[in-house]
Amino acid sequence: TRARADSPRIRRDSDESIDSLIGKRAALKKKAVANVKPDDMKPSRRELQDLSEESIQKFIEESGTSWSSVDDVKKWFETDGAMPELKTKRRTAEGEDGKEKKSGDYLFMDYDANYEDENELHIPNRIGFSTCDWGDSSKGFVSGKLKKSDRKDGKFNKSDLKKAYEKLVNNGINFIETSETYSLAERLLNTFIDEIPCDDDYKPMIASTFSNPWKLAWKSKSLPRRGVKAIVNAAEESAKRLGLDSMTLYQVQNPKLYIGGTKAIANGMLDIIGDDHARYVGCKDWNIEKLAKLVYLFKEIDGGEFVATNQFEFSITNRKNMKMIEACKKLGITPICKNVLDGGLATGKYTTLNPTGDKAPQREGDMGPFKMKKLESLDVLFKVMDKIAEDAGKRVGGKLKTLSLAGKRVPKINKDITAAQVAIKYVQAKGGVPILPVNNLQDANSILGVIGWDLDEKEVEKLDKACEQCGV
């Protein structure tokens, strides 16, 4: 069952409801809340839709908003001034008496309806996280307890990973990218899946990867894997390590040259689905030409299954793969975007005024600090990102106040938006599904901060123009 984020509906044409709204507004005014404009306190879309024109007019006259007529209200709706109606799902648990308990901390913000440009594979909230650092000591993982100095250096342990995993999968971010080469990642996921209960509709969606056979051969000093069977066997072994009968997605990394050719890869991927090692198959780092050939082979060999995804780098400061996103859309493939913060460059942490990034501990993949010339070339973009972060935060805050005034349950949407979160939302606005590495609760909360709000068209246009101006 789906829990609603709103309170009981206001009775149509009820003067008592109107008086209640005005009374709430008056009470708030008495508290002299700083920087609250009348427009911030307008009722929600649903509330006004339940009132007659006469009742709305009465509210306008007595509440002191900037509206002057019912037409103003209608225009407000058309320009998306009201809080969007989110269909949410709240995780609940049953008590000893069989009655539902309030979950408190958990709130799913995924839209019920599928996104217009997605295929059959639905990724909730259109975002996921990566386990690329898990279990790898060279990337900060510590097998035992951590000292205070370790945390300051950005190190993490199994306990940090478990808390981050639980926080994300119980709040609607359950698409998890992993790989056979991510050290202990698959085995750690196996443990967390067993130990942490999840809502049946929001179980973890695991996407593992068949890594480049040549790189693996070089590391293991053995012959490279080849042919159809190698791909199928690798998927089966990943599923075993994960403790799953079947994964959601299995990706094949671009081998550049695969012994057996693209047709062997296609047959291997189709066999993975046929043997139920994964429900969907996708690619990682494939170019447009090779991807198109694979799509053609799928149709020629099977006709029923399809290439679900392709994963590649894309960020607001590195838009070289914009054509890949467009190609994926034409081919019916979901573009999954990695390195969406471009090695730290797109976080807003490094600027001409703060070139060292406050000497914060570097995460794996953080390439900063950057050369001053590079930061100067992106100065305009960084300023636009900061301004949009500020404006979006005010917009979200105003809409949450609207819900609060209406006596409705206020969803846990972040209003302290950062430039890094604007960078992530930009990737989504361009049609990509961003995945970010997560190693602790701080990382998890940062990703959760992008749920429940979006950049509007004008903001995306401003970011596009700034990118062009900076030569990105």
Side-chain angles (χ1 to χ4, degrees), residues 278-336:
R279 175 59 193 91
Y280 303 99
V281 288
C283 302
K284 188 173 182 179
D285 300 321
W286 286 49
N287 60 38
I288 294 174
E289 292 78 11
K290 198 166 185 178
L291 195 62
K293 182 179 180 181
L294 186 66
V295 170
Y296 171 78
L297 286 170
F298 263 55
K299 290 180 179 178
E300 185 181 62
I301 298 169
D302 184 271
E305 298 297 343
F306 59 96
V307 179
T309 62
N310 186 33
Q311 182 185 151
F312 51 89
E313 290 193 7
F314 180 80
S315 70
I316 194 169
T317 52
N318 178 14
R319 305 193 306 166
K320 293 177 182 178
N321 278 326
M322 189 66 234
K323 288 185 178 180
M324 175 59 77
I325 291 181
E326 295 168 359
C328 283
K329 288 182 178 180
K330 290 179 181 178
L331 293 169
I333 295 171
T334 297
I336 296 177

Side-chain angles (χ1 to χ4, degrees), residues 212-410:
N212 188 314
W214 296 99
K215 288 184 178 179
L216 197 64
W218 182 79
K219 287 182 180 179
S220 62
K221 296 181 180 180
S222 61
L223 292 173
R225 294 179 292 184
R226 55 198 178 275
V228 173
K229 198 171 182 180
I231 296 173
V232 178
N233 289 344
E236 184 177 6
E237 289 302 312
S238 279
K240 286 179 181 178
R241 284 189 293 271
L242 288 160
L244 299 173
D245 293 329
S246 180
M247 297 170 284
T248 299
L249 174 70
Y250 194 70
Q251 307 168 112
V252 174
Q253 190 172 19
N254 183 10
K256 297 188 183 297
L257 176 64
Y258 187 72
I259 301 174
T262 306
K263 193 166 186 177
I265 295 175
N267 279 305
M269 294 170 81
L270 289 168
D271 283 351
I272 287 170
I273 297 174
D275 294 344
D276 200 26
H277 298 315
R279 175 59 193 91
Y280 303 99
V281 288
C283 302
K284 188 173 182 179
D285 300 321
W286 286 49
N287 60 38
I288 294 174
E289 292 78 11
K290 198 166 185 178
L291 195 62
K293 182 179 180 181
L294 186 66
V295 170
Y296 171 78
L297 286 170
F298 263 55
K299 290 180 179 178
E300 185 181 62
I301 298 169
D302 184 271
E305 298 297 343
F306 59 96
V307 179
T309 62
N310 186 33
Q311 182 185 151
F312 51 89
E313 290 193 7
F314 180 80
S315 70
I316 194 169
T317 52
N318 178 14
R319 305 193 306 166
K320 293 177 182 178
N321 278 326
M322 189 66 234
K323 288 185 178 180
M324 175 59 77
I325 291 181
E326 295 168 359
C328 283
K329 288 182 178 180
K330 290 179 181 178
L331 293 169
I333 295 171
T334 297
I336 296 177
C337 301
K338 60 181 177 177
N339 197 19
V340 295
L341 295 178
D342 197 13
L345 187 60
T347 62
K349 181 169 73 173
Y350 301 101
T351 64
T352 52
L353 297 177
N354 186 25
T356 63
D358 288 330
K359 296 183 179 179
Q362 287 187 322
R363 287 280 314 282
E364 176 64 23
D366 192 331
M367 305 300 292
F370 299 89
K371 292 181 179 179
M372 184 60 73
K373 186 176 181 181
K374 180 68 174 179
L375 297 177
E376 287 174 350
S377 70
L378 296 170
D379 196 46
V380 172
L381 175 59
F382 292 152
K383 288 178 180 177
V384 172
M385 288 169 67
D386 284 337
K387 183 63 169 64
I388 288 175
E390 181 183 352
D391 292 346
K394 289 179 180 177
R395 183 173 72 247
V396 172
K399 292 176 180 181
L400 294 179
K401 288 176 186 176
T402 297
L403 289 179
S404 179
L405 173 67
K408 300 188 176 191
R409 178 179 291 169
V410 179

Side-chain angles (χ1 to χ4, degrees), residues 41-58:
M41 311 310 293
K42 291 171 181 175
S44 66
R45 178 192 302 265
R46 174 178 300 245
E47 210 161 30
L48 286 168
Q49 285 176 329
D50 287 342
L51 300 176
S52 67
E53 291 193 1
E54 292 78 7
S55 296
I56 295 174
Q57 189 62 48
K58 181 181 178 183

